[in-house]
Amino acid sequence: MERYDHRTIEPRWQKFWADNDTFATDTDRSKPKYYVLDMFPYPSGSGLHVGHPKGYVATDVVARAKRMQGFSVLRVMGWDSFGLPSERQAVREGKHPSEITERNIGTFKGQLSGLGLSYDWGRELATSDEKYYRWTQWIFLKLYEAGLAYQADVPVNWCPALGTVLANEEVKDGKYVETGDPVERRSMKQWMFKITKYAEQLLDGLDDLDWPEGVKQMQREWIGRSEGAQFAFSVADSDASFEVFTTRPDTLFGCTYAVLAPEHPLVDSVTTDAQREAVAAYRTRAANMSDRDRTSQAIDAPKTGCFTGAYCINPVNGDKVPLWIADYVLASYGTGAVFACPSHDERDHAFAKTFDLPIVEVVSGGDDVQAAAYIGDGPHVNSGFLDGLDIDAAKTKIIAWLEENGHGKGTIQYRLRDWLFSRQRYWGEPFPLMETEDGEIVPVPESDLPVKLPELMDFQPTADGRPPLARAEEWAKTTTPDGRPAMRETNTMPQWAGSCWYYLRFISPNNEEAAWDTEEENYWMPVDLYVGGTEHAVLHLLYSRFWHKVLYDLGLVSTSEPFQRLFNQGMIHSMSYNDSPDGRGKFYYPNEVEEKGEGWVAKADGREVFTKVMKMSKSRYNVTNPDDMCERFGADALRLYELFMGPLEDGAMWEDSGVAGTRRFLDKANRLAHGDNVVDGPVENKDVERALHLAIGKVSDAIQSLRFNTAISEMMIFVNEALKADKVSKLWLRDFVRILSPFAPHLCEELWRGLGETETIAFAAWPEVDESKLVVDTITLAVQVNGKMRATVEISATASKDEILEAAKTSPKITKYLEGGTLRREIVVPGRLVNLVITP
RNA sequence: GCGAGAAUGGCGGAAUUGGUAGACGCGCUGGAUUUAGGAUCCAGUGGGGUAACCCGUGGGGGUUCAAGUCCCCCUUCUCGCACCA
């Protein structure tokens, strides 16, 4: 018995699990529950590489162990299958997106099923399935009815070549990051969600979640709560006034000018004739920059701006200060207008220096404010009734003054913006809304859901610039429930929509009467463990939380947060080969290059190539396909290696030879179980039993902590120990096979039968650690002299301090140190070491 | 620029949270075996030295009987955020 034949046993057990519905979700509601969820994938055309299943394998180990520990486990997989890439792939191939999507899902599912993941496939769902998006539309109606959806004219990133609006993160330097097509700013009527209304709740809810601190922090920063004051400046010689927001109202006496965003509605009316041309030119320039470009500049970027010719009045002292426009003031934040205090704000300071505006110190304690803004604290000066106060006290006082005098009030601002929810694309959920001829928005009645996507093959916008759904003229024509003619909404929802609530649908995916079953929701929610990549740290997780909180407020779900514990698995990297040192040239497959001297060259033409460890990606020619690994080493070895590489949250570099290593371990385990020295009864062997129970403990802990790498190494140590033993007890094997089974389920099902069992190992009871087996009789104690290791002594684990010292001092290697000096101090750490302090 | 995290053999990583640094695995070296090409098994493997010993956790200081671990300074890298008033 050498190596086991994974090509035979893995398909056999996968078939067994499928035939027996082994992983159908437990229906016993008296058991404790465990809902473990993977962030479901977008089924792209390129299939999976070995980086994708890392998280899935981790959750599978947890799910399998939890079943053995007596939990009802919800373990499911689905597809985030709406989205632009499928639409584009469809255009390229001349096929319908539904066909492309179906094919891609087939590829993904095939690849995943080869890994032996214990999903309840009876609960599989796809967001592009009308049975699913019917309920996405239903939830949209709930939000709409709650007054959280509204239409607004907003400046968007319009890409004429694609005929669609792009998200801010898809645009860089005025171009679509994927294709380089130019993107322009255009004001369009869009559907928005009032996520800002939930800013405070989204912030507060974070406190009680078991999430990585970094992710919580990112969400906090994204929401960006800041406390300050909002108050009015009036425009001199005019009735007009504008509101400003500031977090530093205490510096109001240092205001030497004010700035409006170029898009501010007041700009036209306040600009003087003399400045009109310059202002118009500046506004045009600003309008052509995307939000991203405007905000992605460093704080010390050169400042630009334009004087309006108008002046405004500082409410606190009546000073008349010039009113400018500048693109460093954002229309979309706060009130789109600020007062400037160049002495104590770096941006204002840079602007003042550029345009030679005065700088007046109002907080003392810094250096010369003419040279640099002073941000620190200190007594206020030149500030009338604020003089002498520190920042906090001055803030309180000025806010009270503003309120008393009717100029404004203390407020809270959030950086979070409302959520732009509509897209001009085909492959997404249609909105369940229609518009009558006189412009009234009417929701589609729930009983008429789903609003199905019309069959189209042309996904370009119409000639007059309406979204692709407007091409389905018959589809778009409809009537309101009370019989008036109406047109359907032709925008579609963004990809986030389907992923916002899929964890709820998994609870009762085949329910035709409701989005989810209330009792079942009560039992399963919240998700106990949610595993996925950090790329979703903000948007997906924030949007989901928002929807969930709305549903909670509507009494539709039982928890205020959807995901109790979040874990981010690290990315898998791999060596890439490129003929340009900056990685921008041609990539080569690993088999196209060879090592030569210090570097690498292309085999074909001897051209120098540069190596760099990069994220796995098809475009970098550095992906490893899990199918290949399953074929060569087996799914069990692949699963084990994914988790053995290092801590789950860290990135790690892929090496095929590592899979060979975990395979060797499995072969050893198999050999151990089939050795001719295996006996039925107990075997006295303290070393092996200790190793076994250490492994049981470590693996049990790993299920909680998700620290699998060291748990696997502990199992390796057990196998190495047991292979040295004269006799191997089946009792050891019964424990060992059970703790290994979540990692290597195929082989362990096989070995479990070999131990005389007839039922699947999937529900075998989880072994307990026997503390008495961990106790050792003798320990190896380190003996140090002046902190340096000089000897070790073998001694009874129960030896007293005196006995330990005696043994240490009489150790042959130690006596010479004692003879050569004076013993000053003796430190004994029981079970660890002895340190003798000796001076010559 | 700001914030967070990290730096340990040729490589991935361990180290009971102040107590024998380098577990486990990869790779490498030697050996065994082979129906030989990539398999399997056994042994060795931080560096230096014949040795006793010496040196070693990014660099420099410090605390301590004892520092990878705690404190201060510096360097480098990764990840967020990036004119949010």
Side-chain angles (χ1 to χ4, degrees), chain A residues 158-162 166 174-176 179-184:
Chain A
W158 173 257
C159 178
L162 290 167
L166 296 168
K175 288 176 181 145
Y176 178 38
T179 60
D181 291 314
V183 174
E184 56 189 52

PDB file of all heavy atoms in Angstrom, chain A residues 158-162 166 174-176 179-184:
ATOM      1  N   TRP A 158     -20.352  59.569 -17.649  1.00  0.00           N
ATOM      2  CA  TRP A 158     -21.003  58.996 -18.825  1.00  0.00           C
ATOM      3  C   TRP A 158     -19.935  58.592 -19.834  1.00  0.00           C
ATOM      4  O   TRP A 158     -19.069  59.391 -20.193  1.00  0.00           O
ATOM      5  CB  TRP A 158     -21.961  60.027 -19.442  1.00  0.00           C
ATOM      6  CG  TRP A 158     -22.551  59.600 -20.736  1.00  0.00           C
ATOM      7  CD1 TRP A 158     -22.202  60.014 -21.975  1.00  0.00           C
ATOM      8  CD2 TRP A 158     -23.597  58.627 -20.909  1.00  0.00           C
ATOM      9  NE1 TRP A 158     -22.959  59.392 -22.922  1.00  0.00           N
ATOM     10  CE2 TRP A 158     -23.832  58.521 -22.304  1.00  0.00           C
ATOM     11  CE3 TRP A 158     -24.360  57.848 -20.041  1.00  0.00           C
ATOM     12  CZ2 TRP A 158     -24.792  57.660 -22.838  1.00  0.00           C
ATOM     13  CZ3 TRP A 158     -25.313  56.994 -20.579  1.00  0.00           C
ATOM     14  CH2 TRP A 158     -25.525  56.901 -21.958  1.00  0.00           C
ATOM     15  N   CYS A 159     -20.014  57.329 -20.256  1.00  0.00           N
ATOM     16  CA  CYS A 159     -19.063  56.840 -21.253  1.00  0.00           C
ATOM     17  C   CYS A 159     -19.813  56.659 -22.558  1.00  0.00           C
ATOM     18  O   CYS A 159     -20.587  55.715 -22.711  1.00  0.00           O
ATOM     19  CB  CYS A 159     -18.451  55.518 -20.796  1.00  0.00           C
ATOM     20  SG  CYS A 159     -17.324  54.830 -22.019  1.00  0.00           S
ATOM     21  N   PRO A 160     -19.626  57.564 -23.520  1.00  0.00           N
ATOM     22  CA  PRO A 160     -20.399  57.491 -24.766  1.00  0.00           C
ATOM     23  C   PRO A 160     -20.149  56.197 -25.532  1.00  0.00           C
ATOM     24  O   PRO A 160     -21.064  55.633 -26.116  1.00  0.00           O
ATOM     25  CB  PRO A 160     -19.894  58.699 -25.570  1.00  0.00           C
ATOM     26  CG  PRO A 160     -19.228  59.588 -24.581  1.00  0.00           C
ATOM     27  CD  PRO A 160     -18.713  58.703 -23.499  1.00  0.00           C
ATOM     28  N   ALA A 161     -18.907  55.691 -25.508  1.00  0.00           N
ATOM     29  CA  ALA A 161     -18.597  54.489 -26.275  1.00  0.00           C
ATOM     30  C   ALA A 161     -19.388  53.288 -25.760  1.00  0.00           C
ATOM     31  O   ALA A 161     -19.846  52.448 -26.522  1.00  0.00           O
ATOM     32  CB  ALA A 161     -17.105  54.204 -26.210  1.00  0.00           C
ATOM     33  N   LEU A 162     -19.522  53.203 -24.435  1.00  0.00           N
ATOM     34  CA  LEU A 162     -20.250  52.078 -23.853  1.00  0.00           C
ATOM     35  C   LEU A 162     -21.728  52.393 -23.685  1.00  0.00           C
ATOM     36  O   LEU A 162     -22.536  51.498 -23.444  1.00  0.00           O
ATOM     37  CB  LEU A 162     -19.671  51.731 -22.481  1.00  0.00           C
ATOM     38  CG  LEU A 162     -18.282  51.103 -22.477  1.00  0.00           C
ATOM     39  CD1 LEU A 162     -17.727  51.106 -21.071  1.00  0.00           C
ATOM     40  CD2 LEU A 162     -18.328  49.696 -23.030  1.00  0.00           C
ATOM     41  N   LEU A 166     -20.722  55.100 -15.520  1.00  0.00           N
ATOM     42  CA  LEU A 166     -19.736  54.283 -14.813  1.00  0.00           C
ATOM     43  C   LEU A 166     -19.623  54.742 -13.367  1.00  0.00           C
ATOM     44  O   LEU A 166     -19.842  55.909 -13.055  1.00  0.00           O
ATOM     45  CB  LEU A 166     -18.367  54.403 -15.493  1.00  0.00           C
ATOM     46  CG  LEU A 166     -18.307  53.873 -16.923  1.00  0.00           C
ATOM     47  CD1 LEU A 166     -17.000  54.301 -17.587  1.00  0.00           C
ATOM     48  CD2 LEU A 166     -18.439  52.355 -16.935  1.00  0.00           C
ATOM     49  N   GLY A 174     -10.146  60.582 -16.590  1.00  0.00           N
ATOM     50  CA  GLY A 174     -11.136  60.842 -17.629  1.00  0.00           C
ATOM     51  C   GLY A 174     -11.359  59.694 -18.586  1.00  0.00           C
ATOM     52  O   GLY A 174     -11.912  59.864 -19.667  1.00  0.00           O
ATOM     53  N   LYS A 175     -10.877  58.500 -18.212  1.00  0.00           N
ATOM     54  CA  LYS A 175     -11.056  57.340 -19.090  1.00  0.00           C
ATOM     55  C   LYS A 175     -11.566  56.149 -18.303  1.00  0.00           C
ATOM     56  O   LYS A 175     -11.273  56.003 -17.113  1.00  0.00           O
ATOM     57  CB  LYS A 175      -9.716  56.963 -19.740  1.00  0.00           C
ATOM     58  CG  LYS A 175      -9.280  57.949 -20.783  1.00  0.00           C
ATOM     59  CD  LYS A 175      -7.902  57.578 -21.312  1.00  0.00           C
ATOM     60  CE  LYS A 175      -7.455  58.591 -22.352  1.00  0.00           C
ATOM     61  NZ  LYS A 175      -6.031  58.834 -22.307  1.00  0.00           N
ATOM     62  N   TYR A 176     -12.300  55.263 -19.011  1.00  0.00           N
ATOM     63  CA  TYR A 176     -12.752  54.022 -18.401  1.00  0.00           C
ATOM     64  C   TYR A 176     -11.514  53.141 -18.193  1.00  0.00           C
ATOM     65  O   TYR A 176     -10.766  52.893 -19.135  1.00  0.00           O
ATOM     66  CB  TYR A 176     -13.766  53.337 -19.317  1.00  0.00           C
ATOM     67  CG  TYR A 176     -14.271  52.002 -18.805  1.00  0.00           C
ATOM     68  CD1 TYR A 176     -14.520  51.793 -17.453  1.00  0.00           C
ATOM     69  CD2 TYR A 176     -14.512  50.942 -19.685  1.00  0.00           C
ATOM     70  CE1 TYR A 176     -14.992  50.572 -16.995  1.00  0.00           C
ATOM     71  CE2 TYR A 176     -14.996  49.726 -19.233  1.00  0.00           C
ATOM     72  CZ  TYR A 176     -15.224  49.546 -17.883  1.00  0.00           C
ATOM     73  OH  TYR A 176     -15.690  48.342 -17.426  1.00  0.00           O
ATOM     74  N   THR A 179     -11.132  49.915 -20.742  1.00  0.00           N
ATOM     75  CA  THR A 179     -10.998  50.020 -22.191  1.00  0.00           C
ATOM     76  C   THR A 179     -10.288  51.291 -22.631  1.00  0.00           C
ATOM     77  O   THR A 179      -9.876  51.391 -23.782  1.00  0.00           O
ATOM     78  CB  THR A 179     -12.385  50.024 -22.857  1.00  0.00           C
ATOM     79  OG1 THR A 179     -13.125  51.146 -22.363  1.00  0.00           O
ATOM     80  CG2 THR A 179     -13.150  48.747 -22.539  1.00  0.00           C
ATOM     81  N   GLY A 180     -10.164  52.254 -21.730  1.00  0.00           N
ATOM     82  CA  GLY A 180      -9.545  53.514 -22.102  1.00  0.00           C
ATOM     83  C   GLY A 180     -10.485  54.455 -22.837  1.00  0.00           C
ATOM     84  O   GLY A 180     -10.073  55.519 -23.293  1.00  0.00           O
ATOM     85  N   ASP A 181     -11.754  54.064 -22.977  1.00  0.00           N
ATOM     86  CA  ASP A 181     -12.701  54.954 -23.637  1.00  0.00           C
ATOM     87  C   ASP A 181     -12.899  56.222 -22.813  1.00  0.00           C
ATOM     88  O   ASP A 181     -12.948  56.153 -21.588  1.00  0.00           O
ATOM     89  CB  ASP A 181     -14.063  54.261 -23.803  1.00  0.00           C
ATOM     90  CG  ASP A 181     -14.006  53.133 -24.820  1.00  0.00           C
ATOM     91  OD1 ASP A 181     -13.419  53.369 -25.897  1.00  0.00           O
ATOM     92  OD2 ASP A 181     -14.504  52.035 -24.528  1.00  0.00           O
ATOM     93  N   PRO A 182     -13.017  57.363 -23.490  1.00  0.00           N
ATOM     94  CA  PRO A 182     -13.175  58.613 -22.734  1.00  0.00           C
ATOM     95  C   PRO A 182     -14.507  58.656 -21.970  1.00  0.00           C
ATOM     96  O   PRO A 182     -15.500  58.080 -22.413  1.00  0.00           O
ATOM     97  CB  PRO A 182     -13.121  59.702 -23.799  1.00  0.00           C
ATOM     98  CG  PRO A 182     -13.332  59.012 -25.089  1.00  0.00           C
ATOM     99  CD  PRO A 182     -12.916  57.593 -24.928  1.00  0.00           C
ATOM    100  N   VAL A 183     -14.456  59.307 -20.841  1.00  0.00           N
ATOM    101  CA  VAL A 183     -15.625  59.429 -19.983  1.00  0.00           C
ATOM    102  C   VAL A 183     -15.881  60.909 -19.769  1.00  0.00           C
ATOM    103  O   VAL A 183     -14.942  61.672 -19.586  1.00  0.00           O
ATOM    104  CB  VAL A 183     -15.374  58.754 -18.618  1.00  0.00           C
ATOM    105  CG1 VAL A 183     -16.524  58.995 -17.662  1.00  0.00           C
ATOM    106  CG2 VAL A 183     -15.138  57.261 -18.800  1.00  0.00           C
ATOM    107  N   GLU A 184     -17.129  61.312 -19.850  1.00  0.00           N
ATOM    108  CA  GLU A 184     -17.400  62.724 -19.617  1.00  0.00           C
ATOM    109  C   GLU A 184     -18.398  62.898 -18.479  1.00  0.00           C
ATOM    110  O   GLU A 184     -19.102  61.968 -18.107  1.00  0.00           O
ATOM    111  CB  GLU A 184     -17.927  63.371 -20.896  1.00  0.00           C
ATOM    112  CG  GLU A 184     -19.162  62.675 -21.451  1.00  0.00           C
ATOM    113  CD  GLU A 184     -19.533  63.191 -22.832  1.00  0.00           C
ATOM    114  OE1 GLU A 184     -18.647  63.210 -23.707  1.00  0.00           O
ATOM    115  OE2 GLU A 184     -20.710  63.565 -23.022  1.00  0.00           O
TER     116      GLU A 184
END
